[in-house]
Every structure is written in structure tokens, then in C-alpha cells.
Amino acid sequence: YLDLQPGEQVVTSSVTAFGNTTFSTHIPVDPSAVQSCKSNLGSAQVYNVSYLNASATNSSGTRYQSVLTGGLPPSPVLATIKTDDNATHNVCFGCGNKFPEPGDVNNPTTNIKQSKRRVYWYIQR
């Protein structure tokens, strides 16, 4: 459970990798406060929190980064890219300035093993 600011709402899907969960929120502007000839897209934040306890996963100790332009941020997308020298890098588009990599100091370690396949139950009536 994570407390958000008044009026703040989650507006994207989330992704979890390397102990980090990323999602974005938006706080709209009160329409009565906006002048007719000016645009105000509200404020947007990108959260990067530990999937175990919602603590900050960056060295600054903050759970989110503000999106400078406001508006509705894109949903985060994970990808692995290969560079010209055949090195692979994990990247996250829409995750803020830095997304944790395997072995980062702030990544929690866990012994949780989860099945990588779907599980179905048949309930006979």
C-alpha cells in the first residue's frame, strides 16, 4: 500500500524487474485555476519503488521523479538491447533517469521462487 498525494492517480501500467517496480501517476489541475489562454497539463511523477516494501530504490531516497513537462506519462516498457560490441544492456523506457540493473546496491535480494508458467484450476461443481 502506498499513500499518494490528494488528487494523484495511477495512470499507467507497471513493470517489475530486478527488485524495482515502476509506474506513473498524474495530478490534474483544477480547471477553475487555469486561465483560458494558458495550458496546464498538471503534474506527473514516475515512481521507482522496491517491490518488497515500496521503499525508494535510488540513492537519493525519493520514491519518484517529477516529469518536467507534466501531462500523462507513457507506460514503462522493459527491453534488452545489444550494442555493436555484442554487450547486452537492460533498459526501461518510461522509468525515469535510471532503472536498476542486476547487482545494483539498492536492489533487494530474495529467495522467492515463482513459477514461470500459468497455473489453472478446474473446479468441479
Side-chain angles (χ1 to χ4, degrees), residues 26 28-31 33-43 68-71:
H26 180 256
V29 175
D30 180 9
V34 178
Q35 296 175 350
S36 62
C37 293
K38 293 184 179 182
S39 65
N40 190 332
L41 301 175
S43 60
L68 296 179
T69 57

Side-chain angles (χ1 to χ4, degrees), residues 2 20 23 29 33 44 50 57 65 85 91-92 114-115 117 121:
L2 184 64
N20 186 72
F23 60 92
V29 175
S50 167
T57 58
Q65 299 170 334
D85 60 354
V91 295
C92 183
Q114 185 175 7
S115 174
R117 58 187 166 81
W121 291 271

